[in-house]
């Protein structure tokens, strides 16, 4: 199913084409916004064709590539699936700039390759009763994956093909984690150009989804340093969708970023950027109404089909040098302490041994695999000019399988987990942070529900201090990664207890 929203009319109206039309909402702050960028840290095209690459092909690229089955084994989803909990009846809304013209096709190739449940809305799939649905909502027009001609006067600030890769990552990995959940891909027709379009458009799109009850989980794989905004006050007009989500039982998740503690400011267009001279965190993950998702090196067997099996011999070096560790805090995982938001009440009680959280909000809340060295395989069909937006070293990128990392990987997968918890609950849980921290404050529950990541550091720029992982909460992996079969039922119980 494909729905197109056209902006620029007064009120709601039915357009002549049968598409629903919605008005454009003007942001209260028109200048000073930063660049919105997809949180894809790194990618490597590993193979062409529709057959996934072999472990040897991944190793030759210096990577360990995870299939959906390997990820599910690492985070103990098997018992949930066995009991019928796979996200069915719930809807994940994924928000990205531009969208992808080939997503319905790419999703089908991915599902066929890995034996993941087909979705109604995939290319060539006959819809059946009870089948989860993939649909697209194009706010203010159709997606524009194809780049403008070289003679255009465009800003050159954003790569549309890079956003198409982001879309493939978000949709395919969220579906792989929660194969029974519906997925609504919501795209806006522009990325950020110094404040008047990107973030306001994305937040207005989220507001529309919340207001019309189109989803109960929101995944945001985009971020920008708090210090890149004109002022802390300029963030406030963008928070309306999060406030509405909290009142309507919608959980909002956000990638914590891929530059460790090094935030950047992009000024002006086409002129590069500058690094902020202090440790930074990124919004929207830093928002107290959002569950910030950090990242790890996942040092487990990518071919495992049962339980979590540590693999300390294969790439990358972080896994080899930390023998016996199932996960290590990823060096690029965004994390630290907000300059804008005060510490929320739910962060007042932390597990024993945690890095202390002072007067300001600590980021992230949780984590999942994000290192490019231990990334997930996704399939992408590039448009004819796609290689102009994606560079694969000396070889132009082409259609095929990519191994991708970044907190863009951890966030949609966590969205899949939340949709499973929503199914257990019988509906949306809304803001989950208070329940997460309530569970973590109990030593026995914390040990059972979370895998505490105690190794790693997120210094990426030697001029900007980073943080080291610690027992309990830390500014790289938050409370840690989930033992899904234990955490998700307990999360539902904790949400009701609160």
């Amino acid at each position: 199913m494909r729905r197109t929203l056209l902006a620029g009319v007064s009120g709601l109206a039915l357009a002549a084409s049968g598409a629903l039309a919605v008005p454009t909402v003007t942001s209260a702050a028109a200048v000073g916004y930063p660049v919105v960028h997809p949180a894809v840290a790194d990618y490597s095209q590993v193979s062409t064709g529709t057959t996934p690459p072999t472990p040897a092909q991944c190793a030759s690229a210096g990577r360990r590539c995870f299939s959906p089955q390997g990820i599910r084994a690492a985070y103990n989803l098997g018992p949930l699936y066995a009991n019928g909990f796979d996200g069915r009846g719930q809807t994940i809304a994924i928000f990205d700039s531009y969208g992808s013209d080939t997503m319905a096709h790419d999703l089908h190739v991915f599902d066929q390759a890995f034996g993941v449940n087909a979705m109604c809305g995939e290319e060539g799939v006959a819809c059946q009763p009870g089948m989860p649905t993939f649909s697209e909502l194009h706010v203010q027009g159709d997606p524009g994956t194809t780049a403008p001609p070289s003679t255009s006067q465009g800003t050159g600030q954003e790569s549309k093909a890079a956003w198409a890769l982001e879309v493939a990552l978000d949709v395919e990995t969220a579906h792989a984690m929660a194969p029974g959940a519906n997925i609504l891909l919501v795209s806006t027709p522009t990325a950020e150009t110094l404040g008047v379009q990107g973030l306001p458009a994305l937040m207005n799109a989220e507001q529309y989804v919340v207001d019309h009850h189109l989803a109960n989980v929101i995944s945001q794989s985009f971020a920008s340093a708090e210090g890149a905004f004109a002022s802390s006050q300029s963030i406030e007009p963008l928070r309306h969708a999060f406030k509405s989500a909290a009142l309507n039982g919608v959980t909002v998740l956000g990638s914590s970023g891929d530059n460790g503690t090094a935030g950047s400011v992009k000024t002006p267009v086409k002129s590069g950027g500058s690094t902020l001279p202090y440790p930074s965190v990124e919004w929207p993950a830093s928002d107290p109404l959002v569950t910030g998702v950090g990242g790890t090196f996942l040092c487990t067997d990518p071919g495992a089909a049962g339980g979590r099996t540590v693999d300390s011999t294969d790439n990358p070096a972080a896994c080899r040098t930390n023998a016996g560790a199932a996960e290590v805090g990823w060096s690029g995982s965004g994390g630290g302490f907000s300059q804008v938001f005060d510490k929320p009440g739910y962060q007042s009680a932390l597990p024993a041994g945690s890095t202390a959280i002072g007067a300001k909000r600590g980021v992230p809340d949780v984590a999942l695999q994000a290192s490019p060295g231990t990334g997930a395989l996704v399939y992408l069909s590039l448009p004819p000019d796609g290689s102009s937006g994606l560079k694969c070293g000396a070889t132009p990128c082409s259609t095929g399988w990519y191994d991708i990392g970044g907190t863009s990987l951890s966030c949609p997968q966590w969205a899949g987990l939340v949709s499973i918890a929503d199914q257990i609950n019988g509906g949306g849980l809304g803001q989950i942070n208070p329940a997460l921290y309530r569970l973590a404050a109990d030593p026995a529950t914390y040990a059972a529900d979370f895998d505490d990541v105690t190794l790693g550091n997120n210094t990426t720029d030697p001029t900007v201090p980073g943080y080291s992982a610690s027992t309990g909460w830390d500014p790289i992996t938050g409370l840690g990664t989930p033992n899904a079969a234990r955490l998700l039922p307990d999360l539902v119980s904790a949400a009701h207890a609160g």
Side-chain angles (χ1 to χ4, degrees):
M1 179 175 68
R2 183 172 181 174
R3 288 177 293 174
T4 303
L5 294 185
L6 306 173
V9 298
S10 176
L12 292 176
L14 189 63
S17 64
L20 186 64
V22 298
T24 300
V25 180
T26 303
S27 172
V31 295
Y33 287 119
V35 173
V36 179
H37 53 85
V40 174
D42 186 77
Y43 59 87
S44 176
Q45 184 172 4
V46 186
S47 66
T48 58
T50 57
T51 302
T54 64
Q57 286 175 295
C58 291
S60 67
R63 301 185 179 234
R64 127 177 19 189
C65 305
F66 279 85
S67 67
Q69 290 76 16
I71 297 167
R72 293 166 176 178
Y75 295 111
N76 194 25
L77 275 95
L80 293 166
Y81 297 153
N83 287 316
F85 296 120
D86 59 3
R88 67 187 63 176
Q90 314 307 309
T91 300
I92 303 166
I94 292 171
F95 289 80
D96 284 307
S97 294
Y98 301 125
S100 170
D101 299 310
T102 62
M103 193 62 250
H105 168 77
D106 296 350
L107 179 61
H108 185 58
V109 172
F110 178 88
D111 286 348
Q112 290 284 102
F114 289 121
V116 180
N117 294 1
M119 303 186 77
C120 174
E122 284 183 24
E123 182 180 87
V125 171
C127 298
Q128 302 293 332
M131 181 181 286
T133 298
F134 169 68
S135 57
E136 301 182 52
L137 181 65
H138 302 303
V139 179
Q140 298 176 324
D142 285 335
T145 303
T146 304
S150 59
T151 55
S152 75
Q153 298 301 308
T155 65
Q157 189 163 300
E158 295 289 344
S159 165
K160 294 182 178 181
W163 278 98
L165 183 62
E166 173 70 63
V167 171
L169 171 64
D170 290 349
V171 171
E172 291 169 17
T173 61
H175 175 51
M177 193 67 89
N182 305 314
I183 292 181
L184 174 64
L185 171 61
V186 186
S187 62
T188 54
T190 181
E192 188 63 18
T193 51
L194 296 185
V196 297
Q197 296 176 355
L199 277 172
L202 285 165
M203 294 302 104
N204 290 339
E206 292 188 17
Q207 185 72 56
Y208 182 87
V209 166
V210 172
D211 289 347
H212 292 81
H213 310 290
L214 301 181
N216 47 307
V217 185
I218 286 175
S219 177
Q220 303 171 113
S221 286
F222 53 85
S224 189
E226 287 181 342
F229 288 81
S231 67
S232 59
Q233 290 77 20
S234 64
I235 295 178
E236 185 60 30
L238 296 171
R239 302 182 68 221
H240 54 90
F242 304 157
K243 295 175 183 179
S244 295
L247 295 173
N248 284 274
V250 179
T251 304
V252 183
L253 301 104
S255 300
S256 70
D258 299 336
N259 298 307
T261 57
S264 63
V265 179
K266 176 85 168 180
T267 53
V269 172
K270 291 188 177 180
S271 297
S274 58
T275 301
L276 296 167
Y278 53 81
S280 302
V281 295
E282 305 218 340
W283 187 87
S286 67
D287 199 295
L289 297 175
V290 173
T291 299
V293 185
T296 68
F297 294 93
L298 180 56
C299 304
T300 63
D301 179 3
R308 168 178 279 214
T309 304
V310 176
D311 176 358
S312 302
T313 54
D314 292 324
N315 289 316
C319 294
R320 297 197 302 268
T321 57
N322 290 282
E327 291 184 86
V328 176
W330 177 46
S331 52
S333 178
F337 302 94
S338 176
Q339 301 275 330
V340 176
F341 300 103
D342 291 338
K343 178 173 70 176
Y346 57 74
Q347 289 192 317
S348 295
L350 301 174
S354 294
T355 301
I357 299 178
K360 292 294 185 180
R361 156 94 157 120
V363 183
D365 300 297
V366 290
L368 210 82
Q369 69 171 138
S371 165
T374 60
L377 289 168
V378 303
Y379 182 83
L380 173 67
S381 297
L382 286 175
D385 63 348
S387 59
S388 66
L390 290 176
K391 305 297 183 183
C392 292
T395 304
C397 294
S398 61
T399 294
W401 291 93
Y402 289 76
D403 185 64
I404 308 180
T407 52
S408 278
L409 171 58
S410 53
C411 184
Q413 291 188 111
W414 250 101
L417 294 176
V418 173
S419 75
I420 296 173
D422 287 344
Q423 180 193 354
I424 296 170
N425 183 56
L429 287 169
Q431 192 182 16
I432 62 171
N433 289 356
L436 287 170
Y437 285 90
R438 192 176 302 116
L439 292 171
D442 179 274
T445 305
Y446 182 58
D449 291 3
F450 293 87
D451 291 302
D452 188 10
V453 182
T454 61
L455 301 169
N457 185 282
N458 66 347
T459 302
T460 57
D461 186 323
T463 67
V464 182
Y467 300 96
S468 294
S470 67
T471 300
W473 184 91
D474 60 65
I476 308 174
T477 64
L479 296 170
T481 61
N483 179 340
R486 294 295 301 266
L487 174 61
L488 301 187
D490 285 352
L491 181 64
V492 173
S493 298
H496 287 283

